[in-house]
Amino acid sequence: MITSVFKKSTLLNNALVVVSLLLFFFMYQSSDLLATISTNGFSKTATLVLLLLACFSLVSFTVKKNNLTKNSTYTILFFLLFLLIFPSIFNNSNLLFANFFLLLAIRRLISLQTLKAPKEKIFDASMWIFIASLFHFWCILFIILVYASIIFHVSRDFRNWLLPFVAFFATAVIFLVAALVFDITWIAHIINQTQTNFELNYFTNNYQNIALSFFVVIALYFLLSLVLSLTNKPLILQASFKKMIFGFLIGVTIFLISPDKNNEMLVFTFMPLSVMCTTNIEYSQSKMYQEIVLLLLIVGCFFSYFSQL
């Protein structure tokens, strides 16, 4: 029943996910309605909505353009469900900006499998990652994914290995000039983010702990499912699925080492994990299994969302 709604990608299905996103977003924001309708509050709210819609568009475009999944709406549905597990993300513009630029980088790295204009794609992906690190410093670890992609596809040309350094220099120069012109405290802000913190003692209520535990169970199940079935996937897509695995593990590492830790920082794992979930559902031959997995995810994510309102 549920799978029949999302197993195809139609305008109606995509609209259903987008409308659901907006509904859940404004429900979460309704607790601070006066701030939302004020001038500055409206501007921030509009920015957050545009960022969320842009992220959904990038996720959908990336998986469809590169044939990572079949022609379904599952990937953006899972992306929405993961947002509902940690709804405080709806208020964190820095993480949404960082995630948006990382999605731009991932889009370029996945398309590297075509071997068309590899240097441009490597440079673009590296620059997007360095821009993302201006919003959350440890996003810089995604540069590992750039080098993994180089190894998978274009390792023989030594110039490809140097392009991330060129992108870093270009981004650093532009940032330093902008900081000196507009606000020099930006530099101090970046330096402060370079700290690490491995403690998981930030929970303000039990529901945050439950949400994290639920997410960990989901992530481990679908990660192991993809790892164990990777050799059964089409050969042309195996490198892309490996990038999803690496991207997910890098996202987890960012969460583990970031200072001022909170559940929201797991947003960097949502896109790779959404692809893993979609692959698991689409490659399953059991209709009942698909229905049960999707139903459990929806119920669990809804519980996490409403318990944190």
Side-chain angles (χ1 to χ4, degrees), residues 4-62:
S4 62
V5 176
F6 297 101
K7 68 180 181 180
K8 293 184 179 180
S9 179
T10 65
L11 181 60
L12 181 61
N13 290 352
N14 286 284
L16 178 61
V17 175
V18 170
V19 170
S20 299
L21 167 67
L22 296 176
L23 175 64
F24 287 119
F25 174 82
F26 284 107
M27 284 177 61
Y28 188 79
Q29 296 288 345
S30 64
S31 60
D32 195 11
L33 186 59
L34 291 178
T36 302
I37 62 178
S38 66
T39 303
N40 293 335
F42 178 79
S43 176
K44 179 182 178 182
T45 301
T47 301
L48 292 171
V49 169
L50 290 174
L51 277 172
L52 287 167
L53 293 176
C55 288
F56 271 70
S57 298
L58 278 171
V59 171
S60 179
F61 178 82
T62 301

Side-chain angles (χ1 to χ4, degrees), residues 3 284-294:
T3 54
S284 172
Q285 300 299 317
S286 172
K287 182 74 171 179
M288 182 175 293
Y289 169 82
Q290 296 175 346
E291 293 284 351
I292 292 174
V293 169
L294 197 53

Side-chain angles (χ1 to χ4, degrees), residues 67-69 110 152 217-234 237-249 269-284 289:
N67 298 315
L68 287 180
T69 63
I110 295 297
F152 290 149
V217 172
I218 294 172
L220 286 176
Y221 176 77
F222 288 107
L223 174 64
L224 290 175
S225 174
L226 179 59
V227 170
L228 295 177
S229 63
L230 187 60
T231 54
N232 297 326
K233 299 293 187 290
L237 294 177
Q238 287 185 16
S240 295
F241 286 130
K242 288 177 183 177
K243 293 174 195 176
M244 292 296 99
I245 295 172
F246 279 122
F248 174 80
L249 294 177
T269 66
F270 289 0
M271 190 273 184
L273 187 57
S274 296
V275 173
M276 295 180 198
C277 294
T278 303
T279 303
N280 181 276
I281 292 288
E282 290 182 338
Y283 279 83
S284 172
Y289 169 82

Side-chain angles (χ1 to χ4, degrees), residues 44-172:
K44 179 182 178 182
T45 301
T47 301
L48 292 171
V49 169
L50 290 174
L51 277 172
L52 287 167
L53 293 176
C55 288
F56 271 70
S57 298
L58 278 171
V59 171
S60 179
F61 178 82
T62 301
V63 298
K64 291 178 180 178
K65 182 72 173 179
N66 298 284
N67 298 315
L68 287 180
T69 63
K70 298 177 183 178
N71 189 29
S72 70
T73 322
Y74 288 133
T75 309
I76 57 173
L77 172 65
F78 288 128
F79 195 84
L80 170 62
L81 293 177
F82 297 145
L83 285 173
L84 298 186
I85 299 179
F86 309 121
S88 54
I89 295 172
F90 289 142
N91 279 332
N92 198 323
S93 58
N94 279 342
L95 287 182
L96 288 177
F97 268 114
N99 188 57
F100 170 71
F101 289 118
L102 287 180
L103 289 176
L104 287 173
I106 291 173
R107 181 183 72 88
R108 297 296 274 172
L109 292 177
I110 295 297
S111 67
L112 196 59
Q113 66 183 358
T114 64
L115 299 180
K116 294 180 180 178
K119 291 180 175 56
E120 289 84 348
K121 292 176 180 178
I122 292 170
F123 179 84
D124 290 348
S126 301
M127 178 165 280
W128 290 133
I129 289 169
F130 293 130
I131 293 175
S133 69
L134 299 178
F135 294 92
H136 187 76
F137 174 77
W138 288 110
C139 289
I140 201 170
L141 291 180
F142 268 89
I143 204 67
I144 297 172
L145 189 60
V146 174
Y147 281 106
S149 301
I150 293 174
I151 292 173
F152 290 149
H153 302 294
V154 288
S155 60
R156 294 184 179 181
D157 190 340
F158 76 94
R159 291 171 295 182
N160 293 327
W161 296 84
L162 301 177
L163 286 171
F165 292 97
V166 178
F168 174 78
F169 179 76
T171 308

